[in-house]
Amino acid sequence: MLFYGPPGTGKTSTILALSKQLYGPTLFKSRVLELNASDERGISIVREKIKNFARLSVSNASKEDQEKYPCPPYKLIILDEADSMTSDAQSALRRTMETYSNVTRFCLICNYITRIIDPLASRCSKFRFKPLGDNSSLARLQYIVSSEKIKLEDETKILKEILKLSEGDLRKAITFLQSACKLFSFGTDGDKAEAPDADSMNIDDPVVVPTFSITDIQEIAGVIPNSETNKLIQRLVAKNFNDIFDYLREDVFKAGYNGSNIINSLHDSLVLGGDDDDDDVDLALSLNHDQKNKISEIIFAADSKLTNGCNEQIQVLDACLKIAVLL
Amino acid sequence: MFSGLSFKDSVLSTSKGSENVRLSSGKTIVLKTRQRDRSVDLAPCLSDNNSMDVLMGNLDIEKVVQKPRFTPKPKRLKSDKVLWTEKWRPSTYLDLLGNERINRLTLEWLSQWSKVVFNTPNDMTEKNRELGDPYGRPHRKILLLNGPPGIGKTSIAHVIAKQVGYEVLEINASDERAGTSVRDKIRNSLSSVTFSGKPTCLVIDEIDGSTETGFIKVLLEILNEDDRAQVKSKKKAKFLMRPIIAVCNDLYASCLEKLRPRAEIITMRHPPRRAIKERLRKICKAESLAFSDPNLEAVAETCNFDMRGCLNMLQFSGGSSIKNGGGKDLQTSWFNLVKTTFTRDNSLKLGQQFAQLEKLLLVSDEKVLNGCFNAYLNVGYQNIDLTRCDAMTDWLYFADAAGNLQDSYSSLAVLKFYLLFSGTSTEVKTSNLSEFYENRRRYAQMLRYFNTAVSIPTLDLVKYVIPFASSILTLNLKVSIHNMKPNEKAKLETIKNVMKQFGVKVERSSTGLELYPPIDSLCHFSEQSLRQHQQKKQPLLILLNEERILKRKPEPLEERPTKRNVSADFFKKQYGEIVEAPIKNNENRIWVKYHEGFSDAVKKNIRWSDLF
Amino acid sequence: MSLWADKHRPKTLEQLDFHEGISNRLKSLASSGDFPHLLVYGPPGAGKKTRVLATLREIFGPGVEKLKVDVKIFENGSRKLEFNVISSPYHYEITPSDMSGNDRIVIQDLLKQVAQTESIDFTRKMKFKVVIINEAEYLTRDAQAALRRTMEKYSGNLRLILLCNSTSTIIPPIKSRTLQIRVPSPTAPEMSLVFNKILEKESVTSFDDDPSIFANVAANSERNLRMGIMLLESLYMNNDQITAKTPMILPDWKGVIKNLGAEILKNRNVQMVQSARSTFYDLIAHCIPSKLILSELTWELWYLLGNVKSGNVDQIKGSIVDACSTFDERLSLGQKDIFHLEGFIIKTMVILEKNL
């Protein structure tokens, strides 16, 4: 099997849950081998460890286990984050997959299917994990909020903002929620148990009333708050180069916002259009297609240069000056 | 400069005035004896402010020997069976090609050992003795010659050592250099005398091999023992009695890090172009090879002024050039290609020459591109304006980004140089970048040293930490140390702590006191500002150095405290005096108590420096 | 340790002078008993590491300050790599980018080692060890991939704190597994406050009581607090009395670039390009990174152009910044920096020729 899709959509959770359900806790350790990016997965490891595990014949399950769980007569090797394996290691894998397919099945998990070599991808049945829809994620978040006994003001609005910022990644959304509650609740002293997985639940905690707003959420997400973006756009419209220069250098970069965030938020405001809730004039509506076209091109160029590791201040300044000329 | 003289020949003359000397070839020439005692010779010459050239001109040897008959030695080998690099290796001091100053510095360092080895006096030994060395040896006891390959480092070491009278023992990369075997070898060589009765001088070649850390540890051990011997004046610790000369290519190799502060470093550069061409010309004549001057220049340029490389090239391509009578040189060295790129031949059409150049460039590599880049700004100003240069920058980027696709596309940027910048009467000069590379390595290593010392990221270090730290290490001293105000004393304390934090020490070098590692040179750019800063620091350095010397205080050998022969009579006399004093019964008596079991006999004075 | 910047570094969260909001948040995190992985980012000299160490002290007590430097050795096939680790009984501090290409091995081996050793101190509330990773933005992609799984797996015993100047090169999986804390640069008044405090503690009287001096120092140090304190200290060491007229000490390389900028504006010809080339070689030899040279030169040209009276100064500025961004990209993608630095000079001269 090949699971692929954006992060935080449940790929690892699915396969782990599936294997637990198939084999039960006793058989799990002997029948399942999990290797992820933090383990050595060079070509020598592929040749030895994986091959040896794949070669072992399947032990017979005990009777009770067979009653409780459907124990299929093959083992499972889970290769998490398979796209960071080198192509040599992947090539070594493909023959192993074929030879021992009657006793071992493989499950590869990756984010980008293009990083898996073709021979390997052709030997797998592919499952695409799409980003979760808003409704189901919202429901899940609301469930968590109620289980953790957290009271939020304006709950739906904040949860929607969290979902928007996490871009379909449920893990991110839950982490934001947890961090926000942690950071903005002063004076909680309870020993909260670790919750790395959204599934585990917390009981009997004192009711906390965290007070945080949308700006705080944006702060946690590392995204530039809307107010700052609007100030920048105002200056761009004014076309005063010196002003733009000073503002960028002093207020934006010294505040610690990074280049790609600035570019992203400019893009969102100018090309996609702002939220309906914002009181500010929606600038995107007033731009014609030609302008939007050129702005997109400028933003694209700046983004690609930033990915190549260029100096952020220069690239953002360049993009801003060019956009200012167009507006 | 070929004189055909060997050291042995001139030694025959003993009396003053002019001498008849028989050369090994049989010819007799007249020589004035040369004074070997430099202290007598140099004083009048130096005071007249004569330049070195004038002084060399005064040597009558040059005037007398008109026809240099340089015979290769050993004579028994035929000229076509031996490599020219071996045949023409310099054998005496005058044969040495290259920087006169460097040669003299080496000779000077080596002659400082003469006192301890040969017992001949030398004016530097007294100065060294003042600086704390009991035998008057130089402060740094290992000489490290470094420089690009093929310029004569090993030759110099051999020649000068032989000249002064040592027997050279060479250890090089082909010998066994693991720790234990080489330690015995070195110790034996340093303390024994060879068959010929001469003392040994150790020459260690190619010391910068990366796997030789054990070997360098042995050298450091020897130096440390020598230091200990000086300070504690124990009988067991050994002094280093023979000079050691080390030769390396890369001064900043990581294995040499510990050795560098203990060694006297002499950096050799390429000899001047003129000298190389002269020598090549003479060799060509002697080997009856016809080479035109510009060809010799091309050869020299291609081999990066490396004598050994030039000789090899001459020896093994000599045949073809003779046929052409030294005419148009068809060697595709990169320098020639660069020259061809910038020369427009008016007899051919543009397209034809372009095609020709393209064929030539098929086998080129990035050296041609770098050469063109180096040279293009200097080529005939009539062709250059900014727009052409601007067009070139895009192509240069293409060449840089193409990088790994050298084979297919490497020639394109060079061809663009041809189209934009070639002219009919252009002279092509490339600048030498080796100094740049060396400086870069030196500073990069200093930066890494500071990075580990202070654990601040290197970007911050070079941006502001080092410049400000260097400017913190100054003190406006108007008064001497005893009259300092308390806040100035606090400043001095701060300076000392900062120096400790960065691992910077005050050391005495040939130019006076300076900081090691030289933190100033890392952040100062022009010679002027560097000198200004160093002058500002001088009073501070002197102060710190005084304190350092006060702490060390090694006891010079001659003043070892001799055991005082105290006779028993001395004590008897003292007791006698006490007993004879009258005791009055009515006076207060003083009681003296004697502690049992406490004996003066086992007392020993221990200083703090022994414990730490 | 006696630069003022190190001596007067605040050790507890209470001693910090600015960004109260962040200190409060960190305190609540420390006392909550459930400490997440952190990603602390912000411009240099804003106080990230100071705050992290103060937070650790809040959690673990003063034992955090007993630091020692170890050299750990890792095997990479046949090669042995040495690596400096600063540690205390409660935390480790590493800079994997020192190893350049081999940082993945450091992360895998070291973190596993740390995570697999349980601490014996049962009385402690916090049973985890903290690993601080400096200069996290220079981690290679492989190292970051190795990091992310380790973070999840060993979060029982191990907490990671990543420090970086900018989060753009951090891969999203890591950003999603950490809590991001932004530490902005201090403002000029905040810096003046800190300067005043330090001068009082050191009982230094040679500074005139003129607020413009501090403002000047703050302006000259790019709002980088460490730079500002070092500038203050060098002014103190070099002058007996500091007034508003005392000249600021500028690092030499900045002066070189300022001169270069002025020359480019004045003379626009090939000789200038030649002399610029030798200046570049000099700067590169002194280990100034090429990108820094490029950006400093651009800022300098921007300021100088502000004094030029001409109709289309804005257009010139725009074109110069455009050229700068092009050549900046070339510097990232290519290898021969000198080609591109010189190209920038030539292009700038062409722009100036056309428009001035």
Side-chain angles (χ1 to χ4, degrees), chain C residues 21-34:
Chain C
I22 302 182
S23 311
N24 285 338
R25 269 189 267 160
L26 289 173
K27 222 188 286 190
S28 71
L29 268 185
S31 54
S32 72
D34 184 10

Side-chain angles (χ1 to χ4, degrees), chain C residues 198-213:
Chain C
I198 293 182
L199 289 182
E200 264 178 40
K201 279 199 198 153
E202 293 277 332
S203 30
V204 165
T205 50
S206 38
F207 279 80
D208 271 0
D209 202 9
D210 187 349
S212 68
I213 301 180

Side-chain angles (χ1 to χ4, degrees), chain B residues 99-137:
Chain B
N99 209 329
E100 285 295 311
R101 193 183 69 91
I102 300 281
N103 300 350
R104 269 181 293 124
L105 276 176
T106 320
L107 189 55
E108 194 179 292
W109 181 87
L110 197 57
S111 51
Q112 289 176 35
W113 287 82
S114 311
K115 168 83 181 128
V116 71
V117 179
F118 297 114
N119 217 3
T120 56
N122 186 300
D123 56 349
M124 290 292 282
T125 48
E126 285 313 309
K127 204 169 158 199
N128 285 336
R129 205 166 284 180
E130 281 168 41
L131 291 173
D133 191 286
Y135 290 106
R137 294 166 303 169

